[in-house]
Amino acid sequence: MTKLGVVFRPQFAPERMREIASALDESGLDEVWLWEDCFLASGIASAVALLGFTERVRVGVGLLPVPLRNVALSAMEVATVERLFPGRATFAFGHGLQKWMGQAGVRAESPVTLLREYLVALKGLLAGETVTVSGRYVNLDAVRLERLPETPPPVISGAFGPKSLAMCAEVADGLILAASAGPDGVREMRATTDKPIIAYARAAFGAGAQERLDAEESPEYGRANDDVPGMIQEYVEAGVTTLVLQPTPDEPDLEGFVHIVAGLKQA
């Protein structure tokens, strides 16, 4: 059965997570996702806060740009969060937008190579292995986590280009697709993998919903009001595992958005 979630966008001030925490738990919604867009809010810190504010809903972060963080640190963070909130967090990793990585001084010459090396090392560390690797980007010398979670959490990854996506499908435990992929992108990936596929899609409700969607300078797939249920069905038929609806950055009623999406799940 397809899971349904929402995005708490980084354009929303992090303290607003308190406003919608009870709505997320009470609504019956499956998941809430966070983004680590530069240079807005930390994905890890936001996830821990939201997990603490809520009791039931699963919290995902996708994507975390790997050039910004050492893989050993990411492994420690993921393992710690999993021990604190068993089975409630999902972390997805990507190579990050190259413009942002350049601004931060960490842009890789080969983002695909970096992401592959990173995912392999991260999965090994979370599985309790002692990892020694001398790669183009990832270098570890007999690193082993001392505080492992009871069950290794899945390592999810995502990207935009076909080469990167093919690598993610090969190495990661699941895929995450941007709203630009649309149902066709989900269908294409489903033809190549049986791993979980998480997809974002834009949605808006209420007065002026279509206008708010149109105001975003983005070609990404999205629907407004009564067209949203049909969009969800398109993704379900394409084979999505989890569909995450993202509000516009000027969404006037976050709590209302959560409840409307939860109602679509139950319909």
Side-chain angles (χ1 to χ4, degrees):
M1 182 176 179
T2 301
K3 296 178 181 178
L4 200 59
V6 299
V7 177
F8 182 89
R9 298 180 64 135
Q11 288 85 2
F12 306 144
E15 56 269 26
R16 296 187 66 188
M17 288 189 287
R18 291 189 181 90
E19 299 175 12
I20 66 165
S22 59
L24 289 167
D25 269 340
E26 296 166 2
S27 67
L29 201 64
D30 296 308
E31 302 181 0
V32 57
W33 281 76
L34 306 162
W35 299 342
E36 191 168 70
D37 283 0
C38 296
F39 297 93
L40 289 165
S42 160
I44 299 289
S46 297
V48 172
L50 193 50
L51 286 162
F53 293 152
T54 57
E55 297 180 358
R56 179 200 59 81
V57 69
R58 288 184 57 87
V59 176
V61 185
L63 296 166
L64 291 159
V66 301
L68 287 177
R69 53 176 55 81
N70 182 277
V71 68
L73 176 61
S74 288
M76 289 190 295
E77 290 176 323
V78 171
T80 300
V81 174
E82 181 63 23
R83 288 176 66 104
L84 289 170
F85 304 96
R88 286 191 56 208
T90 303
F91 295 101
F93 295 83
H95 45 55
L97 292 181
Q98 296 309 290
K99 178 180 182 294
W100 289 340
M101 298 304 99
Q103 286 180 273
V106 293
R107 181 169 180 164
E109 184 178 344
S110 177
V112 178
T113 301
L114 167 57
L115 186 55
R116 176 186 286 276
E117 292 180 357
Y118 198 101
L119 294 174
V120 171
L122 181 61
K123 291 179 67 175
L125 290 168
L126 292 173
E129 299 173 8
T130 299
V131 179
T132 296
V133 61
S134 180
R136 182 174 177 181
Y137 296 103
V138 175
N139 293 276
L140 299 174
D141 181 10
V143 176
R144 183 180 183 277
L145 295 184
E146 298 296 331
R147 296 286 187 182
L148 288 166
E150 184 175 338
T151 302
V155 173
I156 310 299
S157 186
F160 290 98
K163 183 178 179 180
S164 296
L165 282 172
M167 185 278 295
C168 294
E170 174 192 349
V171 178
D173 298 315
L175 296 169
I176 190 163
L177 300 178
S180 55
D184 288 342
V186 173
R187 192 173 294 107
E188 291 173 7
M189 291 309 304
R190 179 54 71 210
T192 66
T193 182
D194 59 359
K195 294 178 180 179
I197 297 176
I198 303 153
Y200 293 122
R202 297 190 305 145
F205 305 99
Q210 189 61 55
E211 288 77 6
R212 284 188 284 114
L213 283 179
D214 294 342
E216 289 193 82
E217 295 181 3
S218 170
E220 295 180 341
Y221 197 86
R223 293 289 185 270
N225 293 323
D226 292 343
D227 291 334
V228 176
M231 178 183 71
I232 293 173
Q233 187 58 36
E234 288 183 55
Y235 276 92
V236 171
E237 292 173 356
V240 76
T241 306
T242 301
L243 181 62
V244 186
L245 299 187
Q246 61 187 63
T248 59
D250 58 349
E251 168 59 50
D253 183 6
L254 285 177
E255 185 173 340
F257 186 91
V258 168
H259 283 295
I260 291 172
V261 175
L264 295 174
K265 173 181 179 293
Q266 298 164 5

